[in-house]
Amino acid sequence: MVSVFVLTKDRPRDLGRCLRSLAKQSSKPYEVLLINNGREIRDATLRHAGPLRPRLRIIKDEATRLSHLFNRGWQETRGDIIAYLADDAEADRHWIKQIIATLKHFPKAAAVSGPVISTSWPTGEMHRLYLASQKPVLS
């Protein structure tokens, strides 16, 4: 059972895209938990969750420390596997399926990650570091 938690703060358009990507997963999450650090999330944004809506929970938390919000996210989830997605990210259709497959293949693994590709320009620092990590090292 995969629980996905999403940290969100006042980006309804981004959150809508994120929720659409979760609703289209080939392996559906057990639950989706939104840790809301901003204004109220409106029904117009939540409609993007589609069939996941009955499994969607929202927790309001106005803490200013990001570490607190991350901890709140994993502590509130109920699944055996916990996945995190930022509100401005979109998950590949097989994201959850790949997480499960990777953890089955590596049973001692405690965490799994993959590339995060920026869709904005200029690209963010994490994207630049990912691209740099893919270049061959010359000796």
Side-chain angles (χ1 to χ4, degrees):
M1 295 187 321
V2 177
S3 293
V4 177
F5 79 89
V6 179
L7 298 181
T8 187
K9 182 173 183 175
D10 300 333
R11 294 194 288 205
R13 183 171 290 143
D14 289 334
L15 179 58
R17 277 196 312 273
C18 178
L19 291 174
R20 269 194 308 277
S21 76
L22 291 174
K24 294 177 183 175
Q25 290 295 299
S26 58
S27 295
K28 300 296 184 223
Y30 168 71
E31 69 176 341
V32 176
L33 176 66
L34 298 179
I35 305 293
N36 181 18
N37 190 247
R39 294 185 294 266
E40 181 182 348
I41 300 172
R42 301 192 186 280
D43 283 343
T45 300
L46 296 177
R47 72 177 159 75
H48 296 290
L52 299 176
R53 191 116 186 230
R55 294 179 256 170
L56 182 71
R57 290 189 299 135
I58 301 171
I59 295 177
K60 179 76 171 159
D61 194 320
E62 297 178 5
T64 57
R65 292 183 337 267
L66 195 55
S67 60
H68 168 85
L69 297 170
F70 274 107
N71 284 325
R72 181 83 191 264
W74 71 260
Q75 289 169 346
E76 293 283 348
T77 57
R78 301 174 184 145
D80 301 324
I81 299 171
I82 302 167
Y84 161 74
L85 195 61
D87 65 355
D88 62 345
E90 295 176 55
D92 176 84
R93 177 170 159 61
H94 302 293
W95 180 63
I96 290 174
K97 186 177 185 177
Q98 291 170 338
I99 290 170
I100 294 168
T102 301
L103 289 173
K104 282 183 181 176
H105 187 73
F106 298 100
K108 292 183 179 181
V112 176
S113 181
V116 176
I117 307 302
S118 174
T119 59
S120 62
W121 186 259
T123 56
E125 182 67 6
M126 293 305 289
H127 187 215
R128 186 186 67 72
L129 292 172
Y130 169 72
L131 292 175
S133 75
Q134 302 305 302
K135 292 181 182 175
V137 177
L138 301 175
S139 51

